Amino acid sequence: MIADRILINRRSANSSYQTDRVSEQPKRSIAKSISWRAIGTLDTIIISWIITGTLSLAFSIGLVELVTKMVLYFLHERMWNTIKWGR
């Protein structure tokens, strides 16, 4: 019974992997990157402002962080789409 469950789960994992592989396109990863970075950048700006006390410096830090982390997130997301583990 346990072995049957494991085999069934492996079969369903393979079919969901194929479905996810088709549905998770780069455009979706880009949209997710932008929405998450908007939240993250706002957080960075607020924290930077609290620490430095300078709003212009906080926005400068936020701008650099926005660009670098969007690129890193996109690459991270695409890399994880190639890994079958856990699907």
Side-chain angles (χ1 to χ4, degrees):
M1 183 157 178
I2 293 173
D4 291 335
R5 274 286 166 215
I6 291 170
L7 290 174
I8 290 169
N9 286 341
R10 283 187 183 163
R11 286 185 197 130
S12 65
N14 288 339
S15 64
S16 67
Y17 171 72
Q18 292 300 326
T19 302
D20 185 56
R21 187 174 175 175
V22 172
S23 65
E24 185 72 20
Q25 296 178 359
K27 291 179 197 176
R28 179 178 165 83
S29 295
I30 290 170
K32 287 165 58 177
S33 299
I34 292 169
S35 67
W36 177 243
R37 285 317 325 142
I39 294 167
T41 299
L42 181 60
D43 178 57
T44 299
I45 291 169
I46 291 169
I47 291 170
S48 298
W49 185 24
I50 290 169
I51 292 172
T52 65
T54 307
L55 195 55
S56 62
L57 182 57
F59 274 103
S60 297
I61 293 168
L63 180 63
V64 170
E65 184 261 357
L66 171 70
V67 174
T68 58
K69 288 193 177 167
M70 267 197 323
V71 170
L72 289 172
Y73 178 80
F74 175 79
L75 295 173
H76 179 262
E77 183 78 12
R78 301 312 303 162
M79 183 178 60
W80 268 101
N81 280 338
T82 65
I83 298 171
K84 294 181 183 180
W85 176 78
R87 291 193 182 237

